[in-house]
Each structure stands twice: as structure tokens, then as C-alpha cells.
Amino acid sequence: MLDAFRVIALIGATMTAGLMAGVFGIYAVAVMPGLRRTDDRTFVGAFQAIDRAILTPAFLATFMGALLLSALAAVLHIGDGGRSVLPWAAAATVLYLAVFIITMVVNVPLNDQIKAAGDPSHSADLAAVRERFDEARWMGWNTVRAVLTTTAFGFLAWALVLYGRITASS
């Protein structure tokens, strides 16, 4: 029964980390570079709309699931049967915990700040709203999130390989 929980947690952690790496990566290479080329009204309105659209139960489950399932996978591999998997799952958990903290300390407050500006069609100084948002800061930390999450995904994928080797030899 422990083996079933181990593999379910490890697969779930890998899948959710991979999905989050994709989300942060697409923001880094397409969404924000595309928005950067727009005027202030379009930038503020589009960013607000994207932020509202992404906050769904599916996104939140994936965002939180990557952290919780990685931690669970690490915990379930403590002991003799999972020693080769444990360091990779634990490292992925630490990396994704850093992503979670960055998101909560940097990106979410910036998102909330731009949302607080209200409807762009009723704002007098959208250039000031955009400047206070600090695109460069948001982008820089998002790039860090993309790199850390992609690395965590790779670590979890390797942990799956090791888990397969353990179970194949038993």
C-alpha cells in the first residue's frame, strides 16, 4: 500500500510541477513580452483580465499541489525503500517552496497592486499605474520562478526514474 501512495504522490508532484513550469515559462517567453509592447491602457487592462482569469480552482490546485505533493513524495520516501528518491523529491520540494514564497512575497502583491488601480477606462494616469507595477521586477522574479520550477520538475522526473529502478529490482 505504501508503494501505491509513493508512486501516486511522485507522479502527481511531477505532473503539477511540470504544469506550473509551463505556466511560469509561458509568462516569461510570451505573455509578458507581448504585454510589454502594448500601451499603458492595454497593459493594465490585459494584465488585470489575465490575473482574474487564472485564479481558478484548477490553477490553485495545481499551484498548491506541486508543493504539497512534492513534500508528500519526499516524506513517503523516508526510510530504506526510498533513499535514492528522497534527496531528489526533497530538493524539488525546497525549490518549489522558494517559488511559493517568491509568488506570495513578490508577484501576488504586484498583481494585487495593479488590480487595485481599478478599471483602466476610469483611471487618469495609467502610466503611473504601470510604473508602480514595476514590470521589470515582476518579470525578473517570474523568470526565477520558471527556472526553479523547471528544475524541480526535472528533479521529480529523475526521482520517478529512480523509483522505477527500485521497484523493477524488487
Side-chain angles (χ1 to χ4, degrees):
M1 186 65 138
L2 179 60
D3 282 340
F5 286 127
R6 283 177 169 172
V7 74
I8 289 168
L10 197 50
I11 289 171
T14 306
M15 290 173 62
T16 53
L19 286 167
M20 289 311 304
V23 168
F24 298 135
I26 202 68
Y27 266 91
V29 302
V31 173
M32 294 305 288
L35 288 177
R36 183 180 327 134
R37 296 181 181 104
T38 65
D39 63 82
D40 296 336
R41 181 175 309 284
T42 302
F43 179 89
V44 172
F47 193 93
Q48 288 175 341
I50 291 167
D51 192 59
R52 280 190 306 271
I54 201 168
L55 294 176
T56 65
F59 172 79
L60 295 173
T62 304
F63 177 69
M64 293 301 299
L67 179 59
L68 298 175
L69 290 168
S70 295
L72 180 61
V75 167
L76 290 174
H77 283 89
I78 294 172
D80 293 336
R83 285 204 182 146
S84 65
V85 173
L86 177 60
W88 297 99
T93 302
V94 170
L95 291 176
Y96 199 81
L97 178 60
V99 168
F100 182 83
I101 291 168
I102 290 165
T103 300
M104 294 308 176
V105 171
V106 178
N107 297 90
V108 167
L110 292 173
N111 296 0
D112 290 345
Q113 179 180 324
I114 203 166
K115 282 191 294 193
D119 185 345
S121 62
H122 296 89
S123 183
D125 193 358
L126 291 168
V129 169
R130 188 173 184 173
E131 187 176 323
R132 281 191 306 274
F133 172 72
D134 195 351
E135 288 172 68
R137 182 169 189 239
W138 197 99
M139 279 289 296
W141 284 107
N142 183 70
T143 300
V144 171
R145 294 189 304 176
V147 169
L148 292 177
T149 307
T150 301
T151 304
F153 172 69
F155 286 0
L156 290 163
W158 182 244
L160 274 171
V161 169
L162 296 174
Y163 182 82
R165 289 179 181 171
I166 292 167
T167 56
S169 66
S170 332

